[in-house]
Amino acid sequence: MKKPTAAEASLSRQTFNRLRDLVREHAGIDFPDEKRYLLESRVKPRLLAQEVPDFETYADRLEQGDTREIARLVNAVTINETAFFRHPSQFEALEDTILPELVRLHQQEWSGPMRLWSAACSAGDEAYSLAILIRDTIGPRHPRMDYEIVGTDIDTEVLEEARAGRYRKRSVRNVPPAYLRDYFDRSGEAFVVDPAIRDMVEFRPLNLTDAQDMRRMRNFDLIMCANVLIYFNETSKKNVLQGLYRSLRPGGYLFVGGSEALGELDVPLEPVRHEGALAYRRPTNGSVSSRA
Ligand SMILES: C[S@@+](CC[C@H](N)C(=O)[O-])C[C@H]1O[C@@H](n2cnc3c(N)ncnc32)[C@H](O)[C@@H]1O
């Protein structure tokens, strides 16, 4: 009888459990039972690339500690949907109230650059949106302020796209026409971020569920961590939120996705509503029992 090939391989319940445990352990991403076929379709190209005949052999290889392949598996299962100015009301709140407040605090009490972090930045759209906003609005009004903008993601392939700064029309659909004119160049069908904006952002790999990675991120004035907590289970989500809380400077702000609700929080972040946008602020006297 002919041996089945990788293209014909199917993911049994048992091997699904093994692969989903690996993904959860290395990225915090949770695949509930009903997402078995999604995991199967995301992982199958890895079987073909690695020339292994079935999911069982592939899982064996990962469990033996093939760290390069584990990173590729994580790249394969992440959902990277993003866009510039994805939640426009958040950027309005930043321009109208939050960034001016942070500038004031810097001028009166804080030293050093204003530090902004796009956590789980995918292809960089959000980090560059922040850079454009700073460059166009707050920067000219406060020419002596310095800014550091960091974009991080667990997916190393998507970070390469972020560094390249080339986008399709769909990604820039929310960009105001004046920003599109001033901060993008056209190259055929692509919209390419202006080098001056690209130079404002540093992209690095970071796993939000890795305590060591998170300890390196401190004293941020603003963190945008949108549309990623939804992929974690309750325990990972709780741990990530604690990490983000510690990464904020007292008085700093956190945004999650426009339609994400954090529910009951076990970190003392204060919800602050700005028109249509909900932000979370770390109180100036807040603390959290620290494992960091
Ligand atoms: C749906 S995208 C959201 C992108 C952007 N934040 C936005 O709202 O447009 C989710 C991103 O989270 C990243 N991600 C998933 N698990 C992660 C983890 N454990 N640490 C860091 N990034 C992670 C994925 O690689 C993906 O790029």
Side-chain angles (χ1 to χ4, degrees):
M1 205 171 71
K2 187 173 145 287
K3 270 196 188 163
T5 63
E8 294 156 354
S10 68
L11 181 59
S12 68
R13 176 169 294 278
Q14 201 183 10
T15 312
F16 166 64
N17 287 338
R18 290 168 69 194
L19 289 177
R20 99 163 137 189
D21 285 353
L22 279 158
V23 171
R24 193 184 290 140
E25 182 190 341
H26 291 281
I29 302 169
D30 207 28
F31 277 86
D33 287 346
E34 64 277 12
K35 296 258 171 87
R36 179 162 130 204
Y37 296 104
L38 177 65
L39 189 67
E40 181 179 280
S41 65
R42 291 292 182 124
V43 178
K44 193 172 270 188
R46 295 306 317 150
L47 267 56
L48 295 163
Q50 288 291 294
E51 299 181 345
V52 295
D54 50 50
F55 285 97
E56 287 67 31
T57 315
Y58 185 66
D60 291 344
R61 185 172 289 190
L62 297 171
E63 285 166 359
Q64 280 154 14
D66 183 341
T67 47
R68 282 176 63 170
E69 187 52 33
I70 288 172
R72 293 194 196 107
L73 167 74
V74 170
N75 289 350
V77 301
T78 52
I79 308 274
N80 303 118
E81 174 68 23
T82 186
F84 280 78
F85 297 93
R86 182 168 183 178
H87 303 294
S89 58
Q90 295 185 341
F91 287 90
E92 280 159 27
L94 284 170
E95 181 178 348
D96 294 346
T97 50
I98 295 177
L99 291 176
E101 178 185 325
L102 293 171
V103 168
R104 222 171 20 254
L105 284 166
H106 268 275
Q107 288 166 338
Q108 290 165 0
E109 298 172 29
W110 298 344
S111 57
M114 185 187 288
R115 306 190 67 228
L116 315 165
W117 177 17
S118 170
C121 65
S122 188
D125 310 36
E126 183 180 80
Y128 287 136
S129 302
L130 283 171
I132 292 171
L133 195 67
I134 296 279
R135 178 84 170 196
D136 204 86
T137 63
I138 301 294
R141 278 181 241 150
H142 305 282
R144 287 178 36 210
M145 267 302 297
D146 283 329
Y147 304 91
E148 269 179 28
I149 305 174
V150 188
T152 65
D153 202 282
I154 196 171
D155 183 335
T156 49
E157 279 172 28
V158 90
L159 285 174
E160 286 306 317
E161 286 177 39
R163 290 183 190 109
R166 288 175 73 87
Y167 298 91
R168 297 214 182 111
K169 195 168 178 194
R170 191 180 137 68
S171 300
V172 298
R173 63 190 181 276
N174 290 339
V175 178
Y179 287 173
L180 210 51
R181 187 190 62 221
D182 294 346
Y183 300 111
F184 290 83
D185 297 315
R186 291 300 299 269
S187 165
E189 291 292 293
F191 292 79
V192 185
V193 176
D194 187 284
I197 297 295
R198 282 220 298 276
D199 286 350
M200 291 173 69
V201 186
E202 188 200 339
F203 290 103
R204 351 180 171 126
L206 177 137
N207 179 355
L208 289 165
T209 62
D210 182 313
Q212 215 175 331
D213 278 3
M214 290 297 279
R215 266 198 286 275
R216 286 198 273 270
M217 307 302 278
R218 286 289 181 264
N219 284 326
F220 281 91
D221 298 65
L222 172 75
I223 303 174
M224 299 190 81
C225 185
N227 307 301
V228 61
L229 297 172
I230 45 172
Y231 299 110
F232 300 155
N233 64 24
E234 280 309 307
T235 312
S236 304
K237 189 170 152 181
K238 236 181 204 178
N239 290 339
V240 172
L241 268 175
Q242 291 215 349
L244 293 173
Y245 173 85
R246 289 191 194 99
S247 296
L248 278 176
R249 204 194 267 285
Y253 282 89
L254 168 71
F255 271 117
V256 293
S259 52
E260 275 175 74
L262 288 184
E264 220 163 272
L265 292 167
D266 63 354
V267 283
L269 286 167
E270 300 168 345
V272 184
R273 191 162 278 287
H274 295 268
E275 305 275 335
L278 180 63
Y280 294 88
R281 181 173 175 273
R282 176 171 170 162
T284 39
N285 58 355
S287 69
V288 68
S289 63
S290 179
R291 279 177 288 127

